[in-house]
Amino acid sequence: MSKDKDRSAQMDKIVALCKRKGFIFQNSEIYGGQNGFWDYGPLGVELKRNVREAWWQDMVNMHDPLDAPEGAPDKFQMTGVETSIIMHPQVWKASGHFDLFSDMMQTCRQCKKLFRADHVWEMIEESEWFQSLAKECGVAFGTQLATIDSAAILQWAKAKKQGRRLAPGLAVVRNPEVTLSWLAEHQQSQPNQPLSAVDLLRYLATEQKNQTGLQTPCPNCGGDLTEPRHFNLMFETHTGALQSDDNKAFLRPETAQGIFVNFKNVVDSSRVKIPFGVAQIGKSFRNEITPRNFTFRSREFEQMEIEFFCHPDTSPQWYKYWRDRRFAWYTSLGIGNERLTLRDHDADELSHYSVGTADIEYQFPFMAEGEFGELEGIAHRGDFDLRSHMEGKLQAKDGKLEVQLDEHGQPKWRGSGKDLTYFDDQAKERFTPHVIEPSAGADRATLAFICEAYYEDEQPDDKGNMQSRTVMRFHPRLAPIKVAVLPLIKKAGMPEKAKELFRNLKSAGIAAQYDEQSAIGRRYRRQDEIGTPWCVTIDGQTVEEDNTVTLRDRDSLEQVRLPMDEVVNEISNRLRST
Amino acid sequence: MSKDKDRSAQMDKIVALCKRKGFIFQNSEIYGGQNGFWDYGPLGVELKRNVREAWWQDMVNMHDPLDAPEGAPDKFQMTGVETSIIMHPQVWKASGHFDLFSDMMQTCRQCKKLFRADHVWEMIEESEWFQSLAKECGVAFGTQLATIDSAAILQWAKAKKQGRRLAPGLAVVRNPEVTLSWLAEHQQSQPNQPLSAVDLLRYLATEQKNQTGLQTPCPNCGGDLTEPRHFNLMFETHTGALQSDDNKAFLRPETAQGIFVNFKNVVDSSRVKIPFGVAQIGKSFRNEITPRNFTFRSREFEQMEIEFFCHPDTSPQWYKYWRDRRFAWYTSLGIGNERLTLRDHDADELSHYSVGTADIEYQFPFMAEGEFGELEGIAHRGDFDLRSHMEGKLQAKDGKLEVQLDEHGQPKWRGSGKDLTYFDDQAKERFTPHVIEPSAGADRATLAFICEAYYEDEQPDDKGNMQSRTVMRFHPRLAPIKVAVLPLIKKAGMPEKAKELFRNLKSAGIAAQYDEQSAIGRRYRRQDEIGTPWCVTIDGQTVEEDNTVTLRDRDSLEQVRLPMDEVVNEISNRLRST
């Protein structure tokens, strides 16, 4: 618990730094903000651009199609597309999103608020009313309560600043005597049997047990929640001027479908041969009921997805290749192995057509010790997607995929009817390709890189006193600014020299910043806080003696002296070799 | 007219090439497509990435904040943001989009189709029914019709395959005798007065002139259109689970507002001082009634916008600077001066608070000879936007901007109430900055670069016969592939050499393609058609004699011989110097 508190305090500091330094702002903040929407500030946009660029370079542009990379079953080609956010509505019917892309949701009968069913108990635990109840009446999650202090509960329920203010909707607050009588009845019928906190809370939320059964309390007001109902997560809109069912459209909940429906176009236009991958970066939208954890679960987010098309026989090997390769990508950009896991889904979690699905997860500071949050999923999807867009919405039946029929025996949602099979002209074989899908979140990756980079230590200031220092230890490829150029003082020819170097760095395409304001120690700390890997300082020796400068490393704090005209090369080399 | 036909035929060829070579596909094509939505294919995505990257590099990353660039009144800083597509709905109320961002629209009373009022006559002229009527009855736009051949019109209206099939809604088809009687009456009352084609068509669309006045015919079926009505172009959606007016949200119709509402955040977090610019690239959405002209007018599109904040006194100079600088950007990337114009809005087109607005326009082939389409607008916006987000929706009154009030004398739409003024700590002066807005379309720029690049000539093939050649003469910075590496034949050690060079180019970050399929002449033409500026060929001399290769230029067709190990440097230098 105290470790979790440390983690949560650290997350608060990260969020504050993100705002203070211009990484991430709440969207529409001056209007009170919008839940689940975030903006990237001046440094954030460069960081996120670097994340996207690293992914696109590593996956697409720098890929060598002439040889099999280490661990790959064969050589392969990589290419990209950029498809629109609003697609034909039939795409989502055939893909299954229209029917199935939903969360179970519960509404409070008292305050009318909505909650994701699988988040309710966690939110109750975090709620103000539960914290108060727990304190006053000795209730805690995860324990069995041998004795129930009904008198304390009654007092809490009736107290103006406790139950009545914090949980006005809770049955035991609205009607304490009747509610507690059900609890008493239970206690009498099953004496000596301990009660879990969850069960106790369900009793306290239930006024008329005989009619309704036990209820679940609302995390907000304590009121009773409806049964869980499906709620589709796709944002709806309409194209054209009239708003009718005929022109209803959806904001894509994933970029993947844009690749599937263009499979034939890509094959026909670009001379790729199977195996090949198609990459896409773009925004997706999910109307999350409870967006939270900073940018981790937001309603508008950016994905980096690959659909890799291969022969069914080799698809298990390709699955394994992508799973390992994508894990290695995060560590190559500085995520520590100890905070990253590769979790294979159990057999019973898998769709029956899938050979495997694995999640790459990161231990975000907003999670409890030992818990991880998904950064990327790598899924073996078989031929499910291409077949759906050929034949119509598929469902599993008797271990096979078949088209789902409506009550009249007609296909419930038709596919395109177009041929999306592939003909291998070497092997003279026609088949429906299998698909491996590494699906990463650009905002989640960015957030993980931010959390991983955050670091505090103590360093002596200009006078030798120890001062706490915040450092963003970004991988140099990701750092928004690669190098700061600092004249030691604002005179004696130093600024002129420094500006000359600054311009040479910019001309070489290196993101540089020039800063001559305030004492040198403060300027170093300013660069540390935004994650600049290197600082170059121009001092008296540069101007008066030998044209050498100092190059300071953000992490080791080591300073080396080198000729000023070697700086551009040195920084370029360091960037290349990281 | 024949020149326009040539232009239109050329546009058809460009659209076909875009699909065939994987630049641009119709979105959701396998499902019949979606009007106004487009996807970028494997080459298109790299082209568009290069357009965006050229803009961001030239405007933000390579900008030197230490000196005033040529033509600029002062030095200035440039930075960026990336804000979300769905913003707080109040943003659009304060900005005026909620009330005013609309097109005038007309609906057909017969077929119920919708049309933009300002497109109707153009669409009528292009319609099948008008073409048929024009042919049979000698009607043409732009001429005055001295005599009206009522007999021919009657015959056309009654003919099964003419009026009755093509324009079933047209009044003269539904009720020929009554309709023509109004026309005859007019002719009698004003003999010898010629009639324009527009007037004639309005008579043919009018059954009960006394009751309705003259009607406008529907471009689709000839039926009569309603009066023009306002239609808001913002796509609507809802955030959260319930669909009510309380949680109605909009897809942004421009990226600009994301910058304005973050003005304070950027100033507070990034140490910029006025004058400075904030750049943003991102998707915007407009629910166009009649999307058309390929990607030119689409419903989902990408913008590249800068909001440049400056002191009111110097804003006219900054306006002029940005206007000229943005024009020069297009020519620096290869757009010919003769097809690009900078059109200053007339004084009566300007908002009264604006010193000036200019459009950069390109002569797209889908437009008539001498007509131009907007690529970018540069607007002097005064303090309109920041003040709106402070005070509420503004309107012009007596030459001043003031908050618009509702019927109760209350602000119609409130602003944020936050202070968005700026304090200049050198001059000790507080003011509301003025804004210069260069607003470019990424898709329109991409389309202009595609149209500009398209070129046909004749070149001898391998046997010396003249063959037509299609070349995409992209500027090297924009070309999706910079260099192709081609072994002359598939043996004698040439592929090995070529692959070695290919890998060296890739390692240097140069987009290269390796191709060993088919005759060398055909491979050259393949690269010409996708706009690759340079081809390197490895031949017998490379392997057997001196390790030299030929380097062929796409445009001049010049071939030079150089040592293979100089190729990477040579290409890098050529890329840098273009």
Side-chain angles (χ1 to χ4, degrees):
Chain A
M1 191 65 185
S2 116
K3 262 199 172 171
D4 288 352
K5 270 196 183 155
D6 289 352
R7 300 172 61 75
S8 159
Q10 178 165 344
M11 194 63 213
D12 291 344
K13 285 193 217 167
I14 291 172
V15 173
L17 181 138
C18 280
K19 171 160 186 191
R20 191 173 69 248
K21 289 290 162 185
F23 284 99
I24 300 174
F25 308 127
Q26 170 89 62
N27 172 263
S28 305
E29 197 180 11
I30 60 171
Y31 286 101
Q34 277 230 116
N35 202 3
F37 296 93
W38 300 91
D39 293 345
Y40 289 84
L43 287 176
V45 65
E46 299 296 343
L47 173 64
K48 199 173 164 197
R49 278 169 53 82
N50 291 342
V51 170
R52 282 196 299 246
E53 204 51 29
W55 187 86
W56 193 268
Q57 288 299 328
D58 293 348
M59 298 300 116
V60 184
N61 286 348
M62 299 299 284
H63 173 70
D64 178 355
L66 303 179
D67 267 319
E70 209 190 314
D74 198 354
K75 63 184 183 179
F76 60 94
Q77 286 166 285
M78 288 298 294
T79 186
V81 295
E82 224 174 270
T83 70
S84 70
I85 288 169
I86 295 180
M87 300 177 69
H88 195 292
Q90 197 65 22
V91 170
W92 308 110
K93 291 175 179 165
S95 73
H97 286 82
F98 183 77
D99 290 332
L100 302 172
F101 189 65
S102 52
D103 275 343
M104 298 305 283
M105 176 193 85
Q106 296 178 274
T107 319
C108 173
R109 291 202 180 84
Q110 265 69 33
C111 71
K112 310 298 177 199
K113 282 216 151 88
L114 287 134
F115 304 93
R116 247 178 80 166
D118 60 341
H119 289 171
V120 161
W121 285 103
E122 205 178 321
M123 293 176 77
I124 291 171
E125 190 172 0
E126 291 165 5
S127 73
E128 212 183 333
W129 69 258
F130 175 75
Q131 307 264 341
S132 160
L133 177 72
K135 192 174 145 210
E136 300 297 327
C137 313
V139 185
F141 275 88
T143 57
Q144 297 291 316
L145 311 162
T147 59
I148 306 290
D149 188 347
S150 293
I153 292 174
L154 189 65
Q155 198 179 351
W156 175 85
K158 290 186 162 181
K160 241 187 188 165
K161 294 192 170 171
Q162 297 176 14
R164 279 170 62 191
R165 184 168 68 79
L166 301 175
L170 196 66
V172 77
V173 173
R174 285 186 281 121
N175 200 343
E177 285 75 13
V178 173
T179 303
L180 285 173
S181 72
W182 294 112
L183 183 60
E185 193 176 277
H186 168 83
Q187 299 278 79
Q188 280 164 7
S189 69
Q190 309 199 319
N192 307 322
Q193 193 173 334
L195 208 61
S196 71
V198 167
D199 284 336
L200 173 63
L201 288 172
R202 285 165 60 84
Y203 269 103
L204 300 184
T206 305
E207 208 177 320
Q208 304 194 295
K209 177 163 174 288
N210 281 351
Q211 282 175 35
T212 62
L214 287 181
Q215 301 292 298
T216 302
C218 163
N220 176 50
C221 78
D224 49 325
L225 299 181
T226 60
E227 287 300 295
R229 279 189 302 238
H230 284 285
F231 164 65
N232 197 296
L233 294 180
M234 289 196 292
F235 280 96
E236 277 183 27
T237 190
H238 295 85
T239 55
L242 298 175
Q243 299 205 353
S244 73
D245 274 358
D246 288 347
N247 64 352
K248 192 183 275 186
F250 305 94
L251 308 193
R252 68 177 172 203
E254 58 172 41
T255 57
Q257 301 301 326
I259 301 177
F260 293 128
V261 301
N262 275 307
F263 171 72
K264 208 75 190 168
N265 271 336
V266 170
V267 170
D268 290 346
S269 66
S270 70
R271 305 174 70 229
V272 288
K273 286 183 191 306
I274 274 180
F276 69 88
V278 182
Q280 169 158 236
I281 298 179
K283 286 267 177 103
S284 292
F285 294 79
R286 295 181 188 177
N287 202 353
E288 296 283 351
I289 299 159
T290 47
R292 56 191 178 147
N293 287 333
F294 203 26
T295 60
F296 181 77
R297 186 176 304 285
S298 43
R299 286 172 166 157
E300 176 175 336
F301 55 99
E302 197 158 15
Q303 293 186 295
M304 307 187 291
E305 295 197 300
I306 295 168
E307 306 301 326
F308 187 81
F309 300 95
C310 57
H311 191 281
D313 292 348
T314 48
S315 63
Q317 291 153 267
W318 285 113
Y319 167 67
K320 195 182 167 314
Y321 168 70
W322 279 108
R323 181 182 159 280
D324 297 344
R325 172 145 182 225
R326 289 300 308 152
F327 185 89
W329 188 76
Y330 293 95
T331 57
S332 79
L333 289 169
I335 301 273
N337 257 308
E338 64 282 16
R339 280 172 300 281
L340 201 66
T341 64
L342 185 62
R343 191 178 71 79
D344 287 303
H345 287 209
D346 296 334
D348 59 358
E349 287 179 82
L350 292 178
S351 318
H352 83 283
Y353 55 82
S354 177
V355 169
T357 296
D359 287 342
I360 299 173
E361 299 178 330
Y362 177 70
Q363 195 179 5
F364 287 99
F366 51 75
M367 302 190 131
E369 181 77 20
E371 285 184 20
F372 290 78
E374 183 185 341
L375 284 183
E376 172 161 352
I378 297 96
H380 182 292
R381 301 187 54 86
D383 59 6
F384 180 83
D385 305 282
L386 290 178
R387 274 191 61 198
S388 299
H389 288 301
M390 283 193 279
E391 301 169 27
K393 190 191 165 198
L394 295 177
Q395 63 177 358
K397 208 169 168 185
D398 306 329
K400 279 193 176 171
L401 281 177
E402 56 181 51
V403 174
Q404 189 180 1
L405 303 179
D406 65 13
E407 63 267 37
H408 310 294
Q410 296 299 311
K412 184 168 182 199
W413 301 117
R414 275 171 306 144
S416 66
K418 298 284 189 293
D419 179 7
L420 305 182
T421 61
Y422 177 85
F423 184 70
D424 182 334
D425 52 13
Q426 302 256 295
K428 307 286 175 216
E429 183 194 2
R430 181 168 291 283
F431 58 92
T432 307
H434 275 202
V435 168
I436 314 301
E437 175 186 272
S439 168
D443 304 279
R444 287 191 177 182
T446 303
L447 183 58
F449 291 126
I450 287 174
C451 292
E452 184 75 14
Y454 187 88
Y455 186 73
E456 292 172 22
D457 65 8
E458 293 210 325
Q459 295 297 333
D461 65 9
D462 295 342
K463 291 166 191 150
N465 300 320
M466 293 306 274
Q467 297 281 352
S468 75
R469 174 180 87 128
T470 302
V471 199
M472 294 301 280
R473 300 204 282 194
F474 291 121
H475 189 282
R477 280 182 79 186
L478 302 181
I481 309 287
K482 312 300 183 196
V483 54
V485 183
L486 317 170
L488 186 63
I489 50 172
K490 240 195 283 190
K491 52 190 176 186
M494 294 181 208
E496 290 71 17
K497 276 271 171 209
K499 288 176 181 179
E500 182 192 330
L501 176 59
F502 167 76
R503 289 196 187 98
N504 291 340
L505 286 159
K506 292 274 262 192
S507 301
I510 297 168
Q513 199 169 71
Y514 174 83
D515 188 4
E516 58 177 32
Q517 300 297 335
S518 61
I520 190 74
R522 229 174 122 191
R523 276 181 277 165
Y524 283 148
R525 280 199 299 283
R526 208 142 63 198
Q527 295 298 332
D528 290 343
E529 212 177 358
I530 64 171
T532 307
W534 302 294
C535 289
V536 177
T537 305
I538 284 74
D539 55 19
Q541 189 178 333
T542 319
V543 179
E544 289 154 29
E545 294 177 30
D546 55 8
N547 212 33
T548 62
V549 298
T550 65
L551 174 58
R552 170 190 183 265
D553 183 274
R554 174 195 69 197
D555 303 330
S556 69
L557 295 173
E558 198 189 17
Q559 302 205 14
V560 294
R561 229 175 154 98
L562 75 170
M564 192 170 99
D565 51 19
E566 284 175 19
V567 170
V568 173
N569 261 339
E570 176 64 23
I571 299 288
S572 301
N573 288 339
R574 289 188 183 199
L575 279 170
R576 250 200 301 276
S577 66
T578 58
Chain B
M1 191 69 186
S2 119
K3 261 198 174 175
D4 287 353
K5 269 198 183 155
D6 288 353
R7 300 172 62 76
S8 159
Q10 177 164 343
M11 194 63 213
D12 291 345
K13 285 193 217 167
I14 291 173
V15 172
L17 181 139
C18 281
K19 170 159 187 194
R20 190 174 69 246
K21 288 291 161 185
F23 284 98
I24 299 174
F25 308 129
Q26 169 89 63
N27 172 263
S28 305
E29 197 181 11
I30 61 171
Y31 286 101
Q34 279 230 116
N35 202 4
F37 296 93
W38 299 93
D39 294 346
Y40 289 83
L43 287 176
V45 65
E46 299 297 344
L47 173 64
K48 198 174 163 193
R49 280 170 52 82
N50 291 342
V51 171
R52 282 195 300 246
E53 204 52 28
W55 188 86
W56 194 268
Q57 288 299 327
D58 293 347
M59 297 301 116
V60 184
N61 286 348
M62 298 299 285
H63 173 71
D64 178 355
L66 302 180
D67 269 318
E70 209 190 314
D74 199 354
K75 62 184 181 178
F76 60 94
Q77 286 166 287
M78 289 297 296
T79 187
V81 297
E82 222 175 273
T83 71
S84 70
I85 289 169
I86 296 179
M87 300 178 70
H88 195 293
Q90 197 65 24
V91 170
W92 308 110
K93 291 174 179 165
S95 73
H97 287 82
F98 184 77
D99 291 331
L100 301 173
F101 189 64
S102 52
D103 275 344
M104 299 306 280
M105 177 192 84
Q106 296 179 274
T107 319
C108 173
R109 292 200 179 86
Q110 265 68 33
C111 71
K112 309 298 177 199
K113 282 216 153 84
L114 287 133
F115 304 93
R116 249 179 77 167
D118 59 342
H119 289 171
V120 160
W121 285 103
E122 205 177 320
M123 293 176 76
I124 290 172
E125 189 173 2
E126 290 165 5
S127 74
E128 212 182 333
W129 70 258
F130 175 74
Q131 309 263 342
S132 160
L133 177 72
K135 193 176 144 208
E136 300 297 327
C137 312
V139 184
F141 275 89
T143 56
Q144 298 290 319
L145 310 164
T147 59
I148 306 289
D149 188 347
S150 293
I153 293 175
L154 188 66
Q155 197 180 354
W156 176 84
K158 289 187 164 181
K160 240 185 190 167
K161 293 191 172 173
Q162 297 176 12
R164 279 168 65 189
R165 184 168 69 79
L166 301 174
L170 196 67
V172 78
V173 172
R174 287 187 280 119
N175 199 343
E177 284 75 13
V178 173
T179 303
L180 285 173
S181 71
W182 295 113
L183 183 60
E185 194 176 278
H186 168 82
Q187 298 278 82
Q188 279 163 8
S189 68
Q190 310 199 320
N192 307 324
Q193 191 172 337
L195 208 61
S196 72
V198 166
D199 285 334
L200 172 64
L201 289 173
R202 283 163 62 81
Y203 270 102
L204 300 184
T206 306
E207 206 176 321
Q208 305 194 293
K209 180 165 173 285
N210 280 351
Q211 283 175 38
T212 61
L214 286 182
Q215 302 291 298
T216 301
C218 164
N220 177 51
C221 77
D224 50 323
L225 299 181
T226 60
E227 286 300 295
R229 279 188 303 238
H230 283 285
F231 164 66
N232 197 295
L233 294 181
M234 289 197 291
F235 280 96
E236 277 184 26
T237 189
H238 294 85
T239 56
L242 298 175
Q243 299 204 352
S244 73
D245 274 357
D246 289 346
N247 64 353
K248 193 183 275 185
F250 305 94
L251 308 192
R252 66 177 174 204
E254 60 172 40
T255 58
Q257 300 301 325
I259 300 177
F260 293 127
V261 300
N262 276 307
F263 171 72
K264 208 75 189 167
N265 272 334
V266 170
V267 170
D268 291 347
S269 67
S270 69
R271 305 174 69 231
V272 288
K273 287 185 192 306
I274 275 179
F276 69 88
V278 182
Q280 169 157 238
I281 297 179
K283 286 267 177 107
S284 292
F285 294 79
R286 295 181 188 178
N287 201 353
E288 296 282 353
I289 299 161
T290 46
R292 57 191 176 147
N293 286 334
F294 203 26
T295 61
F296 181 78
R297 186 177 304 285
S298 43
R299 286 171 167 159
E300 176 177 335
F301 56 99
E302 197 157 16
Q303 293 185 295
M304 308 189 291
E305 294 196 300
I306 295 169
E307 305 302 326
F308 188 81
F309 300 95
C310 57
H311 192 282
D313 292 348
T314 48
S315 63
Q317 290 152 266
W318 285 113
Y319 166 67
K320 194 181 168 316
Y321 168 69
W322 278 108
R323 180 183 159 283
D324 297 343
R325 171 144 182 226
R326 290 301 308 152
F327 185 88
W329 188 75
Y330 293 95
T331 57
S332 79
L333 289 168
I335 301 272
N337 256 309
E338 64 281 17
R339 279 172 300 280
L340 202 66
T341 63
L342 185 61
R343 189 178 73 79
D344 286 303
H345 287 210
D346 296 334
D348 59 357
E349 287 179 84
L350 292 178
S351 318
H352 82 283
Y353 54 84
S354 177
V355 170
T357 296
D359 287 342
I360 298 172
E361 300 178 331
Y362 178 70
Q363 194 179 6
F364 286 99
F366 51 75
M367 303 188 130
E369 181 76 19
E371 285 184 21
F372 290 78
E374 183 185 340
L375 284 183
E376 172 161 353
I378 297 98
H380 182 292
R381 300 187 54 85
D383 60 5
F384 179 83
D385 304 282
L386 290 177
R387 274 189 63 198
S388 298
H389 287 301
M390 285 193 277
E391 302 170 27
K393 189 191 164 197
L394 295 178
Q395 63 177 357
K397 208 170 167 185
D398 304 331
K400 278 191 176 175
L401 281 176
E402 57 181 47
V403 174
Q404 188 182 3
L405 304 179
D406 66 12
E407 65 268 36
H408 310 294
Q410 296 300 309
K412 183 167 184 200
W413 302 117
R414 274 171 307 145
S416 66
K418 298 284 188 297
D419 180 6
L420 304 182
T421 60
Y422 177 85
F423 184 71
D424 182 334
D425 51 14
Q426 302 255 297
K428 306 286 176 217
E429 182 194 3
R430 181 168 291 283
F431 59 91
T432 307
H434 276 201
V435 168
I436 314 301
E437 175 184 272
S439 169
D443 303 279
R444 286 190 178 183
T446 303
L447 182 58
F449 291 127
I450 288 175
C451 293
E452 184 74 12
Y454 187 88
Y455 186 74
E456 292 172 22
D457 64 7
E458 292 212 325
Q459 294 298 332
D461 66 10
D462 296 343
K463 289 168 192 148
N465 300 320
M466 294 306 276
Q467 297 280 352
S468 76
R469 175 180 86 129
T470 302
V471 200
M472 294 300 282
R473 300 203 282 193
F474 291 122
H475 189 282
R477 280 181 80 188
L478 302 181
I481 310 288
K482 311 299 183 198
V483 54
V485 183
L486 317 170
L488 185 64
I489 52 172
K490 237 195 285 189
K491 52 190 179 185
M494 294 179 207
E496 290 72 17
K497 276 273 172 207
K499 286 176 183 180
E500 183 193 328
L501 175 59
F502 168 76
R503 289 197 188 96
N504 291 341
L505 286 160
K506 292 273 262 191
S507 302
I510 296 167
Q513 198 169 71
Y514 174 83
D515 188 3
E516 58 177 31
Q517 301 297 334
S518 60
I520 189 73
R522 230 173 122 190
R523 277 182 275 165
Y524 283 147
R525 279 198 299 282
R526 207 140 65 198
Q527 295 298 333
D528 290 341
E529 211 177 357
I530 63 171
T532 306
W534 302 292
C535 288
V536 177
T537 305
I538 283 78
D539 54 19
Q541 189 179 334
T542 321
V543 179
E544 287 154 30
E545 295 176 29
D546 56 8
N547 212 35
T548 60
V549 298
T550 63
L551 174 55
R552 169 188 181 267
D553 183 274
R554 176 196 67 199
D555 303 330
S556 70
L557 295 173
E558 196 188 19
Q559 301 206 13
V560 294
R561 220 163 168 105
L562 76 171
M564 192 169 99
D565 50 19
E566 285 175 18
V567 170
V568 172
N569 261 338
E570 175 65 22
I571 299 287
S572 301
N573 289 339
R574 290 188 181 198
L575 279 171
R576 250 200 302 276
S577 66
T578 58

